[in-house]
Amino acid sequence: MNIVETEVIRVQHCSARGVTLLTSKPEGFAFQAGHYARLSVPALAEPVWRAYSIVSAPHEPWLEYFFTVIPGGALSPHLGALQAGDTVLMAKAAMGFFLADSLADGEVLWLLATGTGIGPYLSMLRQQGVLQRFARVNLVCSVREAADLAYDAECRAWAAQHAHCHYVPVVTRGEVAGGLHERIPTLLHSGALEQHLAMTPLDPQRDRVMVCGNPDFTADMRALLNERGFTPCRRGLSGNMLFENYWQKATP
Ligand SMILES: Cc1cc2nc3c(=O)[nH]c(=O)nc-3n(C[C@H](O)[C@H](O)[C@H](O)COP(=O)(O)OP(=O)(O)OC[C@H]3O[C@@H](n4cnc5c(N)ncnc54)[C@H](O)[C@@H]3O)c2cc1C
């Protein structure tokens, strides 16, 4: 693996476990909105590499990440302890297939996330043009509590600035202005999410769906979309649904 050193510009602890990290961007490093970087830190005796979606847009002069510190995790606690000026190791090539361009043409793009799974979508929102293909874009982000919506203000501003863009925050505990309160798969099963957006139910002809986040969410969404007749994107073949699964569930 080709490795490059980047320098921490800013670390912000935005909720109990949520952290935003800004680093320098290596010269010549190119990526597309939806790609991820592989990161590590030099302090570890044994190198540990983990994938993190890039939150910043390709044209921005730094790299931004949004991650959760997993207590006892091999890498994330080390990333969470970084300070400005520290070094983050990065694999020199951006990776991934979670790209809106992989989807077949459609009318409505749904960007569905749990927790830090909003990361790749933020890169897309920040890059003018990526979402212009679609007549309507619905960004839906589900977290436990309103305090976990680290990018809520940015998402609200984005929706307010673009008539065809809509943002629905979802909290499963407590309240959030203009939001809903059940898991996204539950809201889609009942039709409550489409109703909230004054739309008819999900439709594989009209809709393109991106799903990013925890394994229960991605598994439930895959089952729901399969039932509704959606087809996955495969290498070289456009489909109407795309998934990014952030981690595997431990097998009992
Ligand atoms: C393509 C891709 C992109 C990713 N992008 C991001 C991102 O933008 N932000 C982000 O926070 N993570 C992201 N991840 C997850 C990330 O790569 C690490 O798995 C995570 O940070 C935990 O690493 P760790 O070494 O601290 O924990 P590990 O030692 O690897 O894992 C400890 C335990 O925690 C579980 N686990 C892993 N992640 C989580 C989580 N978020 N919540 C609860 N349990 C978890 C693991 O299954 C394991 O049981 C991404 C993963 C993939 C595959």
Side-chain angles (χ1 to χ4, degrees), residues 17 36 50-53 66-68 70 73-77 116 244-248:
R17 282 164 51 189
Y36 65 87
R50 295 286 183 264
Y52 293 93
S53 298
F66 176 39
F67 63 92
T68 307
I70 307 299
L75 182 65
S76 58
T116 54
E244 190 83 284
N245 188 22
Y246 270 3
W247 74 96
Q248 305 298 327

Side-chain angles (χ1 to χ4, degrees), residues 10-35:
R10 193 187 70 205
V11 185
Q12 209 167 353
H13 294 259
C14 38
S15 64
R17 282 164 51 189
V19 181
T20 60
L21 169 67
L22 222 66
T23 72
S24 60
K25 181 163 144 183
E27 207 165 315
F29 179 76
F31 68 97
Q32 295 177 55
H35 272 151

Side-chain angles (χ1 to χ4, degrees), residues 40-48 74-75 78 82 86-89:
S40 188
V41 290
L44 295 170
E46 291 284 318
V48 175
L75 182 65
H78 296 279
L82 289 168
D86 287 346
T87 298
V88 175
L89 303 176

